[in-house]
Amino acid sequence: MTRLPLVRFAGIGTAATLVQLAVFAVLNPWVPGLPANVLSWTVATLAANATQRSLAFSVHGTAGLGRDLAVGLVSSVLGLLVSVLIFGILDTEDTVTGLLILIGVNTAIGLSRYFLLRRWFLARTG
């Protein structure tokens, strides 16, 4: 398998992370860190999962779409849970610290998600 799917996945993940960081940075001065994190994660994840399915893994059409998006969403929840746990432990309201937390968590979880989703789509598409 070529590296192209990983490069595409990373590009989409990076774009989604930038969206998440931007939404978080806009919300955080008015909304506490934890809710800002959940809202920014939701926006970025919904867009990224559908895009990664088609661009990174070349799966198109509606056959299995619901299952594919559910697997992507469930795998993304781990990242959300880790970041929620960290925000709960650190109880930080500092936007820069919050952004650094999100970058670290997204990087670690993103790599795990790639290998999980690659396995899922290879098994599904044969």
Side-chain angles (χ1 to χ4, degrees):
M1 176 174 252
T2 68
R3 293 185 182 157
L4 190 56
L6 177 58
V7 171
R8 287 181 181 161
F9 187 90
I12 295 162
T14 299
T17 297
L18 292 174
V19 168
Q20 181 183 10
L21 296 175
V23 172
F24 180 86
V26 168
L27 290 176
N28 195 234
W30 297 282
V31 178
L34 184 57
N37 175 42
V38 172
L39 289 169
S40 64
W41 175 87
T42 302
V43 169
T45 297
L46 293 176
N49 284 338
T51 306
Q52 287 169 333
R53 178 183 187 261
S54 64
L55 295 181
F57 298 109
S58 300
V59 177
H60 306 285
T62 57
L65 176 64
R67 272 193 326 244
D68 293 345
L69 293 179
V71 168
L73 188 62
V74 167
S75 69
S76 295
V77 167
L78 179 59
L80 177 64
L81 293 176
V82 170
S83 63
V84 164
L85 179 64
I86 292 170
F87 274 103
I89 291 170
L90 297 180
D91 193 30
T92 181
E93 297 301 324
D94 178 51
T95 301
V96 173
T97 302
L99 292 172
L100 292 173
I101 290 168
L102 293 177
I103 290 169
V105 169
N106 285 359
T107 300
I109 296 302
L111 285 170
S112 301
R113 286 189 68 240
Y114 171 75
F115 291 108
L116 174 96
L117 292 173
R118 186 180 112 191
R119 185 177 184 110
W120 168 260
F121 286 115
L122 284 175
R124 190 170 102 51
T125 61

